[in-house]
Amino acid sequence: MARLPQIGPRMRVVLKVFGFIFLALFTFVFAFQMVFPYNRVQKRIEELASSKVDLQIGSIERSLIPGRFYLKDVHVKTRPSQTDLETALAIPEAKDREKAVAALSTEFTIDSLEIDIGFLPFLKGTASVDFVAKIDTGKVKGHIAINKNETEIKI
């Protein structure tokens, strides 16, 4: 069995310092992830989406992996635009009018939405998010990357 060369005292100090720095960063990332206020994120997501759709998130769960969390029982209901609603309400027959108004909005439920935020692209100034949505028996996977110059969306 081959022996490793002896490490000098200066190199031992350098390795100890780098080891402690790595341990501190590792501990900080996991501790931050465990105390992160995901309930506030849930409320903020619902608030931001309220201008476009009716959104209800059943629960939000953290993962053991930093930067990943799960949204459970997400209910989304679209709202018709004001002009579409006015057009539908202008229909004289009540039965046809109700059908037209009902057809203007769509409602669906996402059973589970896994969101994975990439931390390394943030160092380059890019926000990167991967997601997997489970809807009934199917899945929708995607990636979104946004920086100053471009937006990239892959589904």
Side-chain angles (χ1 to χ4, degrees), residues 8-151:
R10 284 186 185 171
M11 186 54 108
R12 266 191 229 129
V13 169
V14 169
L15 288 176
K16 275 185 184 179
V17 168
F18 280 120
F20 283 129
I21 290 172
F22 176 77
L23 180 64
L25 288 173
F26 185 79
T27 304
F28 171 76
V29 167
F30 275 93
F32 182 74
Q33 189 263 346
M34 290 307 208
V35 299
F36 191 77
Y38 285 103
N39 291 334
R40 287 178 49 194
V41 171
Q42 176 183 348
K43 300 294 183 217
R44 184 72 174 142
I45 291 171
E46 290 173 347
E47 181 183 302
L48 288 173
S50 68
S51 65
K52 304 282 184 191
V53 296
D54 293 329
L55 178 72
Q56 280 186 306
I57 300 171
S59 65
I60 189 166
E61 298 174 4
R62 64 178 46 106
S63 172
L64 291 175
I65 300 170
R68 182 177 295 172
F69 58 96
Y70 302 92
L71 303 176
K72 303 287 185 177
D73 298 323
V74 179
H75 300 284
V76 181
K77 183 177 181 182
T78 61
R79 278 191 241 126
S81 68
Q82 188 64 31
T83 56
D84 290 342
L85 189 60
E86 288 172 359
T87 305
L89 291 175
I91 297 174
E93 280 194 46
K95 190 175 184 182
D96 293 336
R97 182 174 48 241
E98 289 175 15
K99 282 183 182 179
V101 170
L104 290 176
S105 65
T106 304
E107 187 172 348
F108 61 94
T109 300
I110 301 171
D111 299 326
S112 174
L113 180 61
E114 176 186 324
I115 299 175
D116 189 6
I117 301 170
F119 289 117
L120 291 179
F122 276 125
L123 298 175
K124 296 179 188 175
T126 301
S128 176
V129 177
D130 295 324
F131 64 89
V132 177
K134 294 179 184 173
I135 304 171
D136 290 330
T137 58
K139 285 185 182 180
V140 176
K141 295 181 180 182
H143 172 79
I144 300 172
I146 301 171
N147 65 21
K148 288 188 272 185
N149 302 327
E150 65 182 347
T151 299

